[in-house]
């Protein structure tokens, strides 16, 4: 009789028997006891009993397979992934609130305690517990939305002082808010885990990226290094680094940048924060917040049997999610946008055929089926409502 099937681990990984392998084993053993002519088809009592045994063994093998995979961040899922990434010093991100850098202006020495600013939609943005206006009469601080989620606020839209404080005269946000995030899904956590391994790297620049990515609230980051003696194509000065960072407290980012960057290397960006080193010397630290570029899609499709308004809504959401997940400064390759737009891997994907698709920055009319480029500090944003679908009836 053949050997008992069981999960095994070798140099190539784990291998588990299938349900059919277990069922064949039990049937062979049963016939070896009661004779080759015993009836074991699915409509027999003995056959059903052996099928139950085979299913129990196959389920146990599947649990063993999942347990083995839970020890690697590449294959772990859910709670197992949350546990294993702790070896890299990171944890799964919990739901976060949107953040925005606010320019506070007022009389020097004014202390703002638990200050709140509001935007045009009456959304409330909480300042740090205590803000002291310096001698210059202005200070840049990171405010947090009072509610969790992707609360949006365009540049220069947070201009109302909600908690009136003597000496606090004005507030505005020079750049758009960084949207908050829901609970971090497995895919994003695995990407962040891969970046975090660069934290103890020998390459200083990779270590900077890893350290910034580990800051609470940072959702996306893109780094550029100019190690030449001339200004590069992105306008980055010689011997400087430029980081484009979405989310995270700007003071924490400045502290990490000061601690991790190489000596003599300057930082470049539109956000300026002062951070003090271990010797009490202040340093000007600069970085970028991403500039968000709205993307509109124009799709013409042929409806097939089964196409409904629900399918159309799925197309819009899938394409918007894919676009919003593109990295900072990435090119939007139109040919790759067809994959999410076609609802690849779903039953609904067979209910239509896309005949043409174009994309355009800033919601302008499309100029043709071409890729959409982004500046080094830009990130694409797509609202499902900006995906316009023309349907040709079947």
């Amino acid at each position: 009789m053949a050997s008992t099937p069981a999960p095994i681990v070798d140099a190539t990984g784990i291998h588990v028997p299938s349900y059919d392998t277990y069922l064949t084993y039990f049937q062979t053993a049963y016939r070896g006891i009661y004779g080759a002519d015993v009836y074991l088809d699915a409509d027999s009592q003995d056959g059903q009993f052996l099928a139950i045994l085979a299913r129990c063994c196959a389920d146990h093998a599947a649990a063993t397979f999942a347990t083995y995979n839970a020890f690697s961040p590449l294959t772990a899922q859910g709670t197992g992934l949350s546990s294993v990434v702790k070896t890299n010093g990171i944890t799964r991100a919990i739901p976060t609130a949107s953040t925005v850098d606010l320019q506070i202006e007022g009389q020097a020495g004014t202390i703002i305690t638990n200050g709140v600013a509001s935007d045009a939609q009456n959304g409330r943005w909480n300042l740090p517990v205590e803000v002291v206006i310096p001698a210059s009469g202005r200070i840049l601080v990171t405010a947090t939305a009072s509610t969790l989620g992707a609360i949006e606020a365009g540049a220069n839209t947070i201009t109302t002082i909600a908690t009136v404080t003597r000496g606090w005269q004005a507030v505005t946000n020079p750049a758009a808010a960084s949207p908050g995030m829901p609970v971090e899904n497995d895919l994003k956590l695995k990407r962040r885990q891969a970046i975090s391994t660069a934290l103890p790297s020998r390459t200083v620049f990779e270590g900077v990226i890893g350290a910034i990515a580990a800051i609470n609230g940072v959702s996306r980051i893109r780094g550029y290094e100019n190690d030449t003696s001339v200004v590069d194509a992105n306008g980055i000065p010689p011997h400087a680094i430029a980081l484009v960072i979405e989310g995270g407290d700007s003071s924490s980012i400045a502290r990490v940048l000061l601690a991790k960057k190489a000596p003599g290397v300057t930082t470049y960006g539109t956000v300026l924060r002062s951070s003090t080193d271990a010797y009490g010397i202040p340093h000007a630290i600069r970085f970028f917040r991403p500039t968000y570029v709205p993307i509109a899609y124009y799709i013409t499709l042929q409806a097939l049997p089964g196409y409904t308004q629900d399918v159309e809504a799925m197309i819009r959401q899938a394409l918007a999610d894919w676009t919003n997940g593109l990295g900072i400064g990435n090119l939007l390759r139109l040919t790759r946008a067809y994959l999410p737009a076609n609802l690849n891997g779903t039953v609904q994907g067979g209910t239509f055929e896309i005949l043409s698709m174009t994309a355009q920055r800033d919601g302008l009319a499309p100029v043709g089926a071409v890729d959409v480029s982004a500046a080094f500090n830009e990130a694409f944003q797509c609202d499902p409502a900006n995906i316009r679908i023309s349907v040709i009836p079947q």
Side-chain angles (χ1 to χ4, degrees), residues 95-294:
T96 61
S98 300
T99 58
V100 64
D101 292 331
L102 295 181
Q103 185 78 49
I104 305 296
E105 297 182 6
Q107 297 177 3
T110 298
I111 300 176
I112 304 173
T113 303
N114 296 321
V116 178
S118 61
D119 55 32
Q121 285 73 41
N122 294 322
R124 296 173 66 85
W125 299 82
N126 301 322
L127 276 63
V129 176
E130 184 177 279
V131 175
V132 180
I133 299 178
S136 62
R138 62 175 56 187
I139 185 174
L140 190 70
V141 300
T142 300
T144 305
S146 58
T147 56
L148 297 176
I151 306 300
E152 297 184 359
N156 301 313
T157 59
I158 306 176
T159 57
T160 302
I161 300 174
T163 52
V164 179
T165 302
R166 185 173 188 151
W168 181 11
Q169 298 171 342
V171 60
T172 189
N173 56 315
S178 298
M181 301 293 290
V183 175
E184 189 172 27
N185 60 35
D186 285 357
L187 179 60
K188 290 184 178 179
L189 181 55
K190 289 180 179 181
R191 289 175 179 170
R192 192 157 60 89
Q193 184 274 334
I195 295 175
S196 72
T197 59
L199 185 56
S201 66
R202 295 181 184 179
T203 304
V204 175
F205 186 64
E206 292 178 353
V208 171
I209 298 295
I212 295 296
I215 295 175
N216 184 43
V218 172
S219 52
R220 284 188 291 184
I221 180 173
R222 181 73 179 268
Y224 303 87
E225 181 180 21
N226 181 8
D227 56 3
T228 69
S229 299
V230 297
V231 176
D232 69 8
N234 293 322
I236 301 172
H239 310 297
I241 59 174
L243 271 65
V244 189
I245 306 166
E246 182 182 64
D249 178 71
S250 57
S251 296
S252 299
I253 293 171
R255 285 195 299 269
V256 171
L257 268 175
L258 178 60
K260 294 296 182 179
K261 74 179 185 69
V265 172
T266 186
T267 55
Y268 177 65
T270 55
V271 178
L272 171 63
R273 295 305 303 264
S274 178
S275 188
T276 305
D277 62 21
Y279 303 99
I281 301 173
H283 297 264
I285 301 297
R286 295 175 172 84
F287 59 92
F288 288 95
R289 293 297 192 182
T291 299
Y292 297 104
V293 177

Side-chain angles (χ1 to χ4, degrees), residues 312-348:
E312 185 170 310
M314 290 178 63
I315 296 173
R316 297 178 191 274
Q317 191 62 54
L319 190 53
D321 290 344
W322 176 82
T323 305
N324 295 334
L326 292 174
I328 297 169
N330 280 10
L331 176 69
L332 191 161
R333 300 185 183 277
L334 194 60
T335 54
R336 296 183 182 180
Y338 274 87
L339 189 64
N342 276 301
L343 302 180
N344 188 54
T346 68
V347 174
Q348 292 83 358

Side-chain angles (χ1 to χ4, degrees), residues 31-94:
R31 289 190 173 102
I33 298 172
Y34 296 104
D37 59 345
V38 65
Y39 184 72
L40 298 177
D41 284 357
D43 59 347
S44 68
Q45 292 179 332
D46 290 340
Q48 293 179 26
F49 175 68
L50 295 182
I52 292 173
L53 296 180
R55 174 51 59 193
C56 290
C57 290
D59 289 346
H60 181 271
T64 303
F65 182 79
T67 301
Y68 178 88
N69 284 336
F71 287 96
S72 170
L74 295 177
T75 51
Q77 302 178 30
T79 303
L81 179 61
S82 298
S83 178
V84 75
V85 297
K86 292 179 181 179
T87 59
N88 295 106
I90 63 175
T91 57
R92 186 185 295 273
I94 60 176

